[in-house]
Amino acid sequence: MSYDMNGKRVYLSGPMSGIIDHNGPAFADAERRCRDAGAAMVFNPATAWGHSDRHPSWYMRHDLNRLTLTEGERPLFDCVVLLDGWYASEGATLEYQVARASGIALVNLREVGEHE
């Protein structure tokens, strides 16, 4: 089953800590797949803030702040796309819970684009 990405505003969520390049290649692939499937906007946390010596909590605060943005009465993001291994990531599971509580659709990456 495939999720309709046409015109959607997408937030990417997946494991980063402890992974080479903060899992940047997987996030870049997910972003490409979402755009190729018609997403209007993709927030990629692997490229949004850059990576330096900041504590992981800094990134998490900024990511959650972005995820909870609204436009009027509705969430800014239409869906959160979950990369492989998200369930083993403390940050990604928190993003999952926030999205679920906020009424934002949750989509596994395998439901996007070429791997339907």
Side-chain angles (χ1 to χ4, degrees), residues 47-109:
T47 58
W49 315 118
H51 284 280
S52 64
D53 58 353
R54 290 188 173 115
H55 192 273
S57 63
W58 184 94
Y59 296 103
M60 194 77 255
R61 284 191 307 274
H62 284 75
D63 290 344
L64 290 175
N65 182 54
R66 179 65 58 104
L67 179 57
T68 57
L69 290 173
T70 59
E71 276 189 345
E73 296 293 317
R74 63 180 286 233
L76 175 65
F77 293 98
D78 298 302
C79 66
V80 170
V81 171
L82 301 162
L83 280 67
D84 290 341
W86 70 268
Y87 47 83
S89 163
E90 185 178 337
T93 55
L94 182 56
E95 290 168 338
Y96 171 94
Q97 292 169 348
V98 168
R100 188 169 179 218
S102 300
I104 300 170
L106 295 157
V107 180
N108 281 303
L109 182 58

Side-chain angles (χ1 to χ4, degrees), residues 10-22:
V10 177
Y11 181 102
L12 299 177
S13 179
M16 297 177 85
S17 296
I19 300 174
I20 295 172
D21 294 327
H22 303 285

Side-chain angles (χ1 to χ4, degrees), residues 5 9 39 50 82-83 112:
M5 282 285 157
R9 295 169 297 183
L82 301 162
L83 280 67
V112 176

